[in-house]
Amino acid sequence: MNFRLFAAALLPLLPSAFALDGVIQIHDPSTLVRCDGKFYTWGTGGSPLVSDDGWTWRRGAVPPVTGLAPDVIRLGDRYYMYVAHNAGGQPHAQIDMISSPTLDPESPQFKWEKGGEVASTDGVEDCNGIDPGLLLDPKTGKLWLTYGSYFGTIRIVELDPKTGRRVDPKPKPVDLAINCEASIMIFHDDWYYLLATHGSCCQGANSNYNIRVGRSRSPTGPFVDHDDLDMMQGGGKLFLGSESRVVGPGHFGRLDLGDGVEVFSYHYEADLDRGGASVLAIRPLLWRDGWPVAGDNAKTGSYQLRSVRTGTALELAVEGVPLTSGRGGGARGGRGPGRAAPPGATAPGAPSGATPVAAGEATPGGGRGRGPGGGMFAGTGSPIPPQDVAVVSKNWPAGNVDTRMANYLDQAQQKWTISPAPNAGGYPGAPYFKITVAGTDRALAATADAELTTVPAFTGAPEQLWCIQQLTDGSYRIRPNTVPGVKEPLALSAAGAGFATLAKFNPASDRQRWHLQGL
Amino acid sequence: MITPRKIFCALAASLFTLAATRPALAADSKAPGIAASPVLKPATAGSVPAGPEGFLTRWLVLDPIPGDGRVTDSAIRAAATKEYFANQNSVMPRDGDKVTIAGYSLFSRDGNEVKVATADYTWHAVDCSRHNLNLYHLAFFQGKPTSNVVFWGVTVVNSPDEISGVRLAVGSNAGSVWWVNGQEVTAVYGDKQTTIDDSVSRKLTLKKGANIVRFLVVQNAGMVDCCARFLDANDQPLSRLTFTLTDPAAK
């Protein structure tokens, strides 16, 4: 079998870069909601999904009322589910509410109670009363319900946060947007954002669903996009469209995990790597220039782990081997020789047995680091290959090796590979990762005194598992699953430009914020 | 085509080369002395409190000792383990004390063997007016070499209580190694510029009373200085410390 055929045969077995683990088939998922440590969502037709960690999902309990595209919100000590169903042919529809003190069917308190209709459309008016979306307004404490689907407008009505029912059914609902569905409002930085799905659904890989957004200072609009186009005129800034092997994102829901981490749930109409099934997805929610942006879960790859605070990169605390022989030692404050090759090492490209050379030191016949082409800035005249970690690492200690931070120089001890740790669970949107020195099995680990080390080989121990979550500013927080003997969660922290440790995450600081710069 | 930029680069490169190969300054008996430095003064008697930023500003520093000018990891490790003088990791000298360092050989960065003659070196008690200890001034204003040298320094940090979970946070130009109460706690490798809190130790405990902080700074060329302070468990500077140059335990 040639490689292409082998790859084609293997492809269906590989998870999508965005796909969650376990049973994730769902359509029109409700906003993720947490109850007693578990995550829940329901889709059209009931289709419940539940997860202990937000990464691995399984089927949950079907509620007593099922229908179209529910949304769920916690109000006080109860959970409220809003479910739509067609009362006749579209757009004749209504939205009903049920509530329960818990979402866990195993709990003795678990009991859905019917709360009645909260909104409807008569089949004539210019709205289709389905696809509820809830916002408990953090500014005013009011509860808002938006709904609607293509037939006309997206509407908003006010609910009572104490009962989940309409405050007053008499006022005419306010129109917010047109020709879209799956609407929901979120609030950020004194702006109300209306997210809604444009395009067509329910056509598998041909669905051109995409999530759009407009914003307003008022929950009743007008919502305009970045181009000042009112959503009542079809406006909407693209928030998320189809990508690569996943098609038709829709039904946005926001979940704030706290401490600067927000995620959003949604579905893809078709995950091509899962046979075109409609699947649940979770990604980080970022904020840039006053607009929500779809972030990225950490993905397998090799990275420089660079501190936002210091600009220096995490590295193994070993003497680096320069990629070139340098350009001479300097006499001003900041110039001079860099790091030397370890004993026995030779300059890259040098013939076997050549004289060891250190950065900034003289190379025979070349002056102080001059290349063969003449002039100290001429380089070598040919591409310099990446460092061979198998060669460089021969000089590294065999046991645990500390870490430190330094300016990035593309040296082997500065490159880290992030890859999912098998069967280790995860967190909303991503699995636990192992972080190894690229090209080796040497793994980053937390120590019992809440510091960092690297162990010679990854064993799967919880202190070697890392939760890598994108923060709302686009940087990442990197936390070990476990720090031996420490109960509170700690995160990788730049204590100084040259040293990283583990510390409690401080959202107001850059100390625990990292860039994953792909290599 | 020769452009102004290329000319500038060539001139700059020439200057670097000249500076790098310039012979070290010979000791000059007519040098004005450390007191001429705008940022170093002879230390006063008694103790000095840490400022709000916590920097260690009172030090005993030994005259610069000739070194090979290498600042790689292994070169700094070699410098830190070389015995220059007896009890170098435990001595608490007084201002004006002298140590005699027996002659030795070293290999300069261009591979030439340099013989260093037996000589006496003097400890100087100084106060810093800034956060950093300007070792360049300490050498320059005595007319002593500022390049290809190493500096030993020591101070006494007095803590009102036993304080656990603190870190020694240092910066240096160029490399350095740091000890607290005889234990190596952190180091700076490479040709670094002094940055506040560059290298930070793992968590340690300051004893109630006197704690000895010692450093070795390894210099290649150009500016040479260092800074240090203790950070508490919340990464805030420890400002309730005082600094003296007398170890009560040594009495």
Side-chain angles (χ1 to χ4, degrees), chain B residues 69-83:
Chain B
R70 288 185 171 87
V71 291
T72 59
D73 293 31
S74 51
I76 287 171
R77 298 306 324 158
T81 53
K82 174 181 169 60
E83 183 178 71

Side-chain angles (χ1 to χ4, degrees), chain B residues 236-247:
Chain B
Q236 297 303 306
L238 271 179
S239 57
R240 53 196 176 101
L241 307 173
T242 62
F243 312 126
T244 59
L245 297 178
T246 306
D247 179 10

Side-chain angles (χ1 to χ4, degrees), chain A residues 318-319 329-340 361 376-377 402 404 449-452 495-499 501 511, chain B residues 9 13 16-17 19-20 69-74 109 167 173 189 191 193 197-203 220-223 235:
Chain A
V318 296
E319 186 160 336
R332 75 178 185 190
R335 292 290 293 266
R339 295 177 183 170
E361 297 190 359
M376 61 189 295
F377 299 114
D402 287 347
R404 64 186 180 193
D449 58 350
E451 301 284 6
L452 295 167
F499 186 78
T501 183
R511 287 171 184 261
Chain B
C9 289
F16 286 140
T17 304
R70 288 185 171 87
V71 291
T72 59
D73 293 31
S74 51
R109 280 178 285 161
R167 300 174 187 272
N173 181 355
Y189 297 105
D191 186 26
Q193 292 158 304
D197 306 343
D198 183 349
S199 273
V200 180
S201 75
R202 292 188 171 210
K203 293 183 279 289
N220 49 2
M223 177 61 180
D235 287 338

Side-chain angles (χ1 to χ4, degrees), chain B:
Chain B
M1 179 180 175
I2 297 175
T3 64
R5 175 181 166 78
K6 287 180 179 174
I7 292 172
F8 171 79
C9 289
L11 281 172
S14 301
L15 286 173
F16 286 140
T17 304
L18 280 174
T21 56
R22 186 179 63 176
L25 287 172
D28 182 357
S29 61
K30 295 179 181 175
I34 297 170
S37 164
V39 294
L40 290 180
K41 297 298 174 196
T44 57
S47 65
V48 61
E53 294 182 315
F55 289 104
L56 282 58
T57 54
R58 173 163 287 185
W59 293 97
L60 274 157
V61 186
L62 190 61
D63 284 333
I65 304 169
D68 61 13
R70 288 185 171 87
V71 291
T72 59
D73 293 31
S74 51
I76 287 171
R77 298 306 324 158
T81 53
K82 174 181 169 60
E83 183 178 71
Y84 293 92
F85 54 93
N87 303 320
Q88 64 187 22
N89 290 109
S90 59
V91 66
M92 191 66 218
R94 290 170 300 185
D95 184 40
D97 281 359
K98 294 185 187 301
V99 295
T100 301
I101 298 179
Y104 56 96
S105 292
L106 55 81
F107 288 87
S108 65
R109 280 178 285 161
D110 56 11
N112 295 323
E113 183 177 6
V114 176
K115 291 189 180 301
V116 178
T118 299
D120 286 345
Y121 298 82
T122 303
W123 287 96
H124 303 276
V126 295
D127 283 337
C128 312
S129 62
R130 293 180 178 157
H131 72 280
N132 63 329
L133 169 60
N134 192 322
L135 297 167
Y136 184 90
H137 276 194
L138 186 133
F140 178 82
F141 283 107
Q142 295 188 82
K144 295 184 182 298
T146 60
S147 297
N148 303 324
V149 291
V150 301
F151 291 91
W152 282 96
V154 63
T155 193
V156 179
V157 174
N158 302 288
S159 175
D161 307 296
E162 179 177 291
I163 310 175
S164 61
V166 307
R167 300 174 187 272
L168 179 66
V170 306
S172 68
N173 181 355
S176 59
V177 182
W178 298 76
W179 295 263
V180 175
N181 295 327
Q183 298 295 314
E184 181 182 329
V185 296
T186 191
V188 176
Y189 297 105
D191 186 26
K192 303 293 283 291
Q193 292 158 304
T194 297
T195 304
I196 293 168
D197 306 343
D198 183 349
S199 273
V200 180
S201 75
R202 292 188 171 210
K203 293 183 279 289
L204 54 85
T205 299
L206 280 180
K207 298 182 298 183
K208 180 178 181 179
N211 297 267
I212 309 299
V213 177
R214 195 178 303 274
F215 71 75
L216 172 72
V217 167
V218 180
Q219 158 71 334
N220 49 2
M223 177 61 180
V224 53
D225 65 336
C226 62
C227 66
R229 62 176 171 177
F230 285 98
L231 304 176
D232 67 16
N234 297 314
D235 287 338
Q236 297 303 306
L238 271 179
S239 57
R240 53 196 176 101
L241 307 173
T242 62
F243 312 126
T244 59
L245 297 178
T246 306
D247 179 10
K251 288 180 180 175

